[in-house]
Amino acid sequence: SAAFDQQLVVALGDRLRELPARLGLKQHLLCGVSQVAVGADTVFSLALQALQWPQRVLLPQRADDYLRAGHHEQADFSPAEQAVARALLAAPHVIERRVVSDAEDRSARFEDTNLAIARESDVVVCLLRAGARARPGGTHDLMQQAMRAGKPVWTLEVTLRDGRPVLSPWMAGPRNASATS
C-alpha cells in the first residue's frame, strides 16, 4: 500500500543518514546508484530524493521499454508504478540515467545491470524482504557481484509488524551463505 511504502521510505531514509558515520566518513558526498525497479529500488530512490542525495540510475534497457517490460505476459510495472518511476527518472536528484546492457536476454540484462552497479559502487546497500528468494539478476545476485568485486555489502531486512514496516539492524555481508548462492 502507499502508506506502507511511505513508512518504508522514511525508515530507510533514517537508516541511510546513519551510513556515513557507520562507514567512518566525515566530509564525503554520498551518491546512490541503482535501477528504478518496482519495490526496493523505488523505495531507495524515493529515500534519496527525500534526503536530497544525488542518484545515478543504471538501466537494463531504454527507459520506455524497461517500464513496459514484463515476464510471462505480465508487466513488471503497473500504470501507477510506471508513473512513479517516470517521475523519479525526471527528478532533479537523478544526475545520470544510463542504459548499461545490450543483451537480448532479459535475465542477462538484469545481471549486466547488477554487475555495473557493483562495479561503480564503493559500498552496496541492499534492502531485502525477509524470506525473499534469490532470482537471477535480483538483489542476491547484486550482493554476490559486489562481494566478488571486494565491495562492502550492507543489508537491511524488512519485516511486517502490526501492518508497519520494520527494518533490521544493519548487517554486514549477506544474511547467510545459502541466501546468496
Side-chain angles (χ1 to χ4, degrees):
S1 76
F4 178 89
D5 288 349
Q6 185 53 41
Q7 292 167 1
L8 187 53
V9 166
V10 170
L12 180 58
D14 290 344
R15 291 300 179 82
L16 289 173
R17 272 190 210 92
E18 300 170 359
L19 202 52
R22 180 168 293 281
L23 297 172
L25 304 176
K26 296 188 186 334
Q27 299 294 325
H28 291 77
L29 172 67
L30 299 183
C31 179
V33 181
S34 73
Q35 297 185 52
V36 289
V38 174
D41 282 347
T42 297
V43 169
F44 181 71
S45 297
L46 290 168
L48 292 176
Q49 183 179 41
L51 292 168
Q52 298 181 352
W53 289 5
Q55 179 180 10
R56 298 173 54 223
V57 177
L58 306 183
L59 297 169
Q61 64 194 102
R62 284 182 347 101
D64 287 338
D65 295 335
Y66 176 63
L67 296 175
R68 285 193 303 265
H71 194 64
H72 298 298
E73 304 297 322
Q74 180 163 353
D76 291 342
F77 292 84
S78 70
E81 291 164 337
Q82 280 188 24
V84 170
R86 287 183 195 287
L88 284 168
L89 288 168
H93 80 287
V94 174
I95 61 172
E96 179 185 15
R97 294 160 217 65
R98 180 167 41 105
V99 175
V100 295
S101 179
D102 60 1
E104 291 293 322
D105 178 71
R106 175 182 168 83
S107 291
R109 284 193 302 267
F110 283 98
E111 291 169 9
D112 288 349
T113 305
N114 278 342
L115 182 59
I117 291 169
R119 183 177 47 246
E120 296 186 26
S121 298
D122 295 318
V123 175
V124 174
V125 173
C126 294
L127 183 63
L128 297 167
R129 187 177 62 248
R133 293 185 349 254
R135 294 182 319 212
T139 303
H140 291 96
D141 178 59
L142 171 60
M143 293 169 68
Q144 285 295 316
Q145 294 285 358
M147 288 185 298
R148 278 194 288 274
K151 307 290 176 89
V153 176
W154 289 87
T155 60
L156 293 168
E157 277 191 345
V158 180
T159 56
L160 186 64
R161 188 179 308 140
D162 300 324
R164 299 179 61 89
V166 176
L167 294 178
S168 70
W170 283 107
M171 297 178 279
R175 294 179 297 171
N176 60 53
S178 65
T180 60
S181 47

